[in-house]
Amino acid sequence: GAATVLLQSGTYRVDKTITLDGKDSGLTITAAPGAKTRPRISGGVELGDLEWQSMRPSRRAQCYCAWVAHSE
């Protein structure tokens, strides 16, 4: 039968792809009743504290850059 996954508020970080197929048909992933904020499933990487620098290419453009160390 169909299943429901209830997520509380917060960000759920995943480091691998979530793969669903035909067996998951009818699966519902939703916020739990009473969740104060919308839950997020994220494959993004938290960057931490960054030092942003203005890189104004022209008078009208606003552009900022931060150097990020590469990690695997």
Side-chain angles (χ1 to χ4, degrees), residues 1-38:
T4 300
V5 177
L6 299 174
L7 299 175
Q8 295 295 334
S9 300
T11 300
Y12 296 83
R13 299 196 182 280
V14 295
D15 59 359
K16 294 188 178 18
T17 302
I18 297 172
T19 304
L20 304 174
D21 60 24
K23 293 179 287 188
D24 302 303
S25 179
L27 174 67
T28 301
I29 302 173
T30 188
K36 293 186 180 357
T37 61
R38 185 180 307 178

Side-chain angles (χ1 to χ4, degrees), residues 27-72:
L27 174 67
T28 301
I29 302 173
T30 188
K36 293 186 180 357
T37 61
R38 185 180 307 178
R40 291 184 174 93
I41 299 173
S42 173
V45 177
E46 192 167 349
L47 298 177
D49 294 330
L50 298 177
E51 192 172 311
W52 293 94
Q53 297 175 346
S54 177
M55 307 289 285
R56 279 193 101 115
S58 71
R59 283 190 214 161
R60 296 188 313 172
Q62 291 186 356
C63 180
Y64 294 88
C65 178
W67 294 102
V68 178
H70 174 74
S71 65
E72 294 188 27

